[in-house]
Amino acid sequence: MGASDGALFDGPAPSLRTTAGFELAPTLPVARVQLIGALPHLDHPFEYAVTAETAAAGPGMRVKVRFAGTEMDAIVLERSAVPETDRPLAPLRKLVSEDVVISPAMLRVCADVAERCAGTLGDVLRLAIPPRHARAEKADRAAAEKARDEAVGEAAPEDAAADEESSGDVTEEAPAPEPPGALDRYVGLRALLDRAGGAGPVPRAGLVLEPVDAWTTTTADALAALGDRGGLVVAPDQRDVQRLSAELDARGIAHEVLGSADGPEKRYRAFLRILRGASRIVLGSRSAAFAPVRDLALMVLWDGADDLLDEPRAPYPHALTILQCRSSEERAALLLLSSSRSVMQQSLADAGYVAMLEPVPAPLPAVRPLIRAMDDYLREREGASGRSRIPAEAMRVIRTGLARGPVLVQVPRGGYVPAVACSFCGTRCICPTCSGPLAFSGRGGPLQCRVCGRREDGYRCPECDRTQVRAVVIGSTRTAEELRRAFPDAELRIAGGAHGAVPDDDVPDGALVIATPGAEPAPPQRYAAAVLLDADAMLARAAFDADVEAVRRWSGAIALVRTAADGGEVLVVGTSTLPAIRDLVAHRSRVFLDRVLADRRALDLPPSAKVAEVAGDRDAVRAFLDELELPSGASVFGPVEAPAHEDRIESRAIVRIEPGRARALLTALRAGVAARTARKAPGRVRVRVDPPDVF
């Protein structure tokens, strides 16, 4: 029967107008689909006619449709008998696969993520569903059939053996008691795991690990306690994922790794195995946050403050945002693991969203190394060398540490944005208008704010009232050269930057490792000592969160050092009176972070304010801001010229509003972007919500 003549249905035959030339499916001939990657003003469902060839298409399946003369990917949302539109329906061009690649719950998660990030559902779906690979799909179906056949063949012998075993008297020996581990060290962690995936309120917790507890062993303990329930672990870096994978392999815990460096075929095969429930435990970097784990009970996010967890593709969601949406929709427990207390973690705890789990009191030498800072006493005792970049006390720590094992020397990352600080007291230069970082405008130019564009010709330090400033740029190559001359017999390893990564098993006893933050190898025997150089330079980085980020980087290095009971020692070379450095020496103190949050509330900085960045071509950004209908209470800073990728210069503006009106701001931004694409406005405009480099 032709499409124009109607089709046969169960019940009364409704009126259905279609384009000619195809035969309709016998039942439910209307499909509502969501386009993947469509323009913002087209981010809503469209209706198509289901042909006889695509009659098997169901919700969650991938199809091809013709839209505006272009063939596009789409996801079927639902099938119905009667369309909502009176326009003729075009046919579904092709049913790509009968695999249900996304569930209704995950569709709702994607819609929530799009709303929170002022983006489109189509863009989020592009992040959540990997591109189809036909060879991988065929191989996975063959593997699934083989697994089913093997399960059927082994069922009977196993049942018979079980009956024989149950008929006899079997005396089982009581298992030996296990020593207390990380699950017993933190109050409430076992309760969270017991409630994960169950009825009642969804448990969500934040956990700052003691240095003695490696995050890999703690996470492995948590996953082992899940039993048959599903677990998902997201880490910033692929090296972190591989470390956890090695720990699970050693324990015999089956799992799936979604590697960012995997090819399309391997990645799609892993996605299909997870989709059909062959893998209960899934590990991966930020893209794994969308992994379709069956019976998901627990989600673990390691080091959520790392900027690698921010997606670089539109709509730029953070992995934590995705996991929060999944926790709400799928009722899965959420555990935020870190080596230091982060601003976001603490703000979520203050809001009552997560419960901070504290450890059982224990002697400090048993849970952390001896941590000291170069205070005035140590500097004056050394004399002139106490004020040098590598004082004699640091040399002593390295020398004694090399006699017991490997030693880590951490130096600031070579790629930091040059900061400007007072030449006398080292206080970082910030804008008096918006509290953004000040920087030199060109070689020898005046100071200018990178956020609001204010030019500061007569800058005076708010601490010492002096006018002289200097650029702070620290590298690691010179450090390696100096230490090579001082310790010629030690094996030298340089990690990070142009030197690349050093494998964890390539750090022998007696090795001296010079590493930039985040690139430190993690030897199984741990470091005997660590020296954190140029601490003041880390704190002077040109970012509003330089102090919190420095503490996070330092804490990550300290977590790789042996405890004080095993001889572990850490020396921080910097101004010992600075709050961030004092926070390292103090044990689990909240004074520093409480002060940071109070300062941010006073300055209306995140998380005390909702912030969005509008960047792109100068004329396009200005036109977008002029036409944007912002809610009352929103403030706009800029636009100012800012360096971009590929040696381009683009305009950048910051929109800020109180958190209580965040939804109104996000709605306005989404509407503004949709209106701009609908009228085909020229130029490029990018909108990011709560970007890590906003100030």
Side-chain angles (χ1 to χ4, degrees):
M1 182 180 295
S4 56
D5 297 330
L8 296 177
F9 302 97
D10 296 331
S15 173
L16 178 61
R17 299 176 58 203
T18 66
T19 58
F22 60 92
E23 183 180 356
L24 283 172
T27 59
L28 302 178
V30 179
R32 297 180 72 243
V33 305
Q34 176 70 42
L35 303 178
I36 298 179
L39 293 173
H41 67 285
L42 302 175
D43 189 50
H44 57 84
F46 290 89
E47 290 182 324
Y48 282 83
V50 182
T51 66
E53 292 78 12
T54 59
M61 294 184 185
R62 193 169 2 209
V63 294
K64 293 280 189 181
V65 298
R66 194 79 174 174
F67 188 88
T70 305
E71 191 172 81
M72 300 185 65
D73 289 325
I75 296 294
V76 177
L77 301 179
E78 62 178 351
R79 293 272 299 270
S80 62
V82 181
E84 296 180 358
T85 180
D86 57 355
R87 296 180 179 179
L89 300 184
L92 295 179
R93 303 277 296 182
K94 179 182 179 182
L95 175 60
V96 176
S97 171
E98 294 187 16
D99 290 327
V100 179
V101 294
I102 189 167
S103 65
M106 185 58 74
L107 269 172
R108 292 191 292 271
V109 168
C110 291
D112 195 7
V113 171
E115 183 178 356
R116 294 187 184 210
C117 298
T120 66
L121 175 57
D123 282 341
V124 178
L125 289 175
R126 186 165 50 187
L127 301 177
I129 306 173
R132 176 180 179 257
H133 196 284
R135 187 165 61 240
E137 190 176 85
K138 182 178 179 181
D140 181 76
R141 288 179 178 172
E145 293 177 1
K146 182 179 179 181
R148 283 195 296 268
D149 294 341
E150 291 177 353
V152 172
E154 294 176 359
E158 288 181 357
D159 292 341
D163 293 339
E164 293 178 2
E165 291 179 2
S166 62
S167 61
D169 295 332
V170 179
T171 303
E172 295 183 358
E173 296 183 0
E178 297 183 358
L183 300 189
D184 299 313
R185 195 188 309 278
Y186 301 95
V187 179
L189 183 54
R190 281 198 180 275
L192 179 141
L193 297 174
D194 292 340
R195 290 173 49 194
V202 179
R204 304 181 180 97
L207 179 55
V208 180
L209 292 171
E210 299 279 22
V212 70
D213 294 319
W215 82 274
T216 52
T217 57
T218 304
T219 304
D221 290 343
L223 295 177
L226 289 179
D228 294 333
R229 295 168 292 173
L232 172 64
V233 182
V234 179
D237 190 84
Q238 197 61 30
R239 294 184 68 188
D240 295 325
V241 175
Q242 294 302 329
R243 287 166 182 162
L244 179 58
S245 178
E247 178 71 22
L248 296 181
D249 286 337
R251 300 188 184 202
I253 300 177
H255 60 280
E256 191 75 49
V257 176
L258 285 177
S260 58
D262 294 340
E265 180 177 1
K266 184 177 180 181
R267 187 169 182 81
Y268 197 64
R269 285 198 64 179
F271 173 80
L272 292 176
R273 284 194 297 269
I274 299 168
L275 193 63
R276 60 181 169 89
S279 298
R280 178 179 59 85
I281 303 297
V282 178
L283 325 174
S285 51
R286 60 175 178 260
S287 59
F290 287 107
V293 182
R294 289 271 189 96
D295 300 323
L296 182 61
L298 174 67
M299 298 180 294
V300 179
L301 180 65
W302 162 244
D303 200 8
D306 197 312
D307 57 6
L308 291 177
L309 292 170
D310 274 283
E311 175 60 50
R313 296 174 293 174
Y316 317 104
H318 191 280
L320 176 58
T321 302
I322 302 170
L323 296 185
Q324 285 180 285
C325 295
R326 296 193 68 174
S327 177
S328 176
E329 181 62 41
E330 302 181 54
R331 303 186 56 78
L334 179 61
L335 180 60
L336 308 180
L337 283 181
S338 62
S339 57
S340 66
R341 196 182 293 256
S342 68
V343 171
M344 182 54 67
Q345 198 178 46
Q346 187 58 49
S347 64
L348 292 176
D350 293 342
Y353 183 80
V354 300
M356 296 301 298
L357 306 183
E358 299 294 335
V360 176
L364 292 187
V367 297
R368 58 176 285 178
L370 174 63
I371 304 174
R372 296 180 302 125
M374 282 294 296
D375 55 16
D376 291 338
Y377 170 76
L378 291 175
R379 294 184 186 276
E380 292 175 2
R381 188 181 66 177
E382 290 189 18
S385 67
R387 302 291 173 180
S388 63
R389 180 169 176 264
I390 309 180
E393 181 65 16
M395 291 295 191
R396 184 200 64 78
V397 171
I398 296 174
R399 186 180 302 106
T400 57
L402 288 174
R404 302 191 306 270
V407 174
L408 172 66
V409 177
Q410 187 195 73
V411 295
R413 187 184 301 272
Y416 278 160
V417 177
V420 181
C422 175
S423 300
F424 180 76
C425 67
T427 302
R428 185 161 52 95
C429 301
I430 62 173
C431 174
T433 300
C434 68
S435 303
L438 295 178
F440 290 114
S441 56
R443 179 173 297 182
L447 292 177
Q448 187 174 13
C449 179
R450 296 174 53 240
V451 176
C452 68
R454 168 173 172 153
R455 176 169 166 166
E456 195 67 24
D457 293 316
Y459 179 80
R460 284 187 175 274
C461 177
E463 295 294 331
C464 65
D465 201 42
R466 296 176 185 256
T467 59
Q468 291 79 18
V469 296
R470 60 183 173 86
V472 182
V473 181
I474 299 296
S476 60
T477 304
R478 187 182 66 180
T479 304
E481 294 174 353
E482 293 177 2
L483 294 178
R484 188 188 298 274
R485 290 193 298 266
F487 304 97
D489 297 332
E491 293 191 49
L492 192 65
R493 301 288 189 273
I494 305 176
H499 300 280
V502 174
D504 295 343
D505 55 1
D506 190 27
V507 182
D509 282 340
L512 183 57
V513 179
I514 294 92
T516 54
E520 306 92 347
Q525 72 274 31
R526 294 201 173 202
Y527 293 102
V531 176
L532 310 179
L533 290 178
D534 304 321
D536 292 354
M538 285 274 286
L539 295 173
R541 190 168 59 95
F544 81 106
D545 63 343
D547 49 0
V548 180
E549 179 67 9
V551 171
R552 185 183 74 85
R553 296 293 194 179
W554 293 332
S555 300
I558 291 172
L560 303 176
V561 183
R562 302 168 188 171
T563 62
D566 295 331
E569 184 179 7
V570 176
L571 179 67
V572 186
V573 182
T575 306
S576 61
T577 56
L578 293 177
I581 296 179
R582 291 208 311 266
D583 184 68
L584 284 184
V585 179
H587 182 62
R588 304 187 78 88
S589 172
R590 283 192 50 181
V591 175
F592 166 68
L593 200 58
D594 286 344
R595 177 177 174 177
V596 169
L597 289 172
D599 290 344
R600 294 195 181 185
R601 283 192 294 269
L603 298 172
D604 286 333
L605 293 176
S608 298
K610 195 68 174 179
V611 174
E613 177 196 66
V614 180
D617 297 334
R618 180 176 57 186
D619 295 339
V621 169
R622 291 185 180 277
F624 178 80
L625 294 174
D626 291 340
E627 298 167 2
L628 190 62
E629 296 182 3
L630 290 173
S632 60
S635 302
V636 180
F637 299 95
V640 297
E641 301 298 317
H645 300 292
E646 301 176 1
D647 299 328
R648 291 185 291 103
I649 300 295
E650 63 178 19
S651 288
R652 179 175 181 264
I654 303 298
V655 184
R656 184 169 64 186
I657 200 170
E658 60 178 345
R661 307 215 61 197
R663 290 284 183 179
L665 175 61
L666 298 178
T667 301
L669 291 172
R670 295 182 76 183
V673 172
R676 186 178 181 278
T677 58
R679 66 174 184 273
K680 299 181 180 179
R684 297 175 298 103
V685 171
R686 180 183 71 246
V687 175
R688 293 195 299 166
V689 177
D690 290 332
D693 53 351
V694 61
F695 287 106

